[in-house]
Amino acid sequence: MESVDFGGVRATLVAPDGTVFFDSDVDAATLENHAGRPETASAFQTGDGESDRDSGRWVT
């Protein structure tokens, strides 16, 4: 797979059933199903979805 620069933005590729196929920050296999997330539902309904949340990964 080629490297992709997301310009410092986290990118996640999610299947219609909520399975995470790719994440630019962590191993996708370690992530829970995203089907219940509002941004995922919006993306599949309208073609666009986003969310801002503190994942806790930056806390020191």
Side-chain angles (χ1 to χ4, degrees):
M1 173 181 246
E2 292 184 34
S3 177
V4 177
D5 180 4
F6 291 101
V9 175
R10 184 174 184 175
T12 306
L13 179 61
V14 181
D17 69 355
T19 302
V20 179
F21 284 130
F22 170 82
D23 187 280
S24 61
D25 284 359
V26 299
D27 179 2
T30 67
L31 297 173
E32 77 281 354
N33 186 290
H34 282 30
R37 293 189 173 198
E39 67 273 21
T40 303
S42 176
F44 285 117
Q45 290 174 359
T46 68
D48 188 279
E50 63 182 72
S51 177
D52 291 321
R53 83 170 122 273
D54 180 6
S55 66
R57 62 193 167 94
W58 303 112
V59 177
T60 58

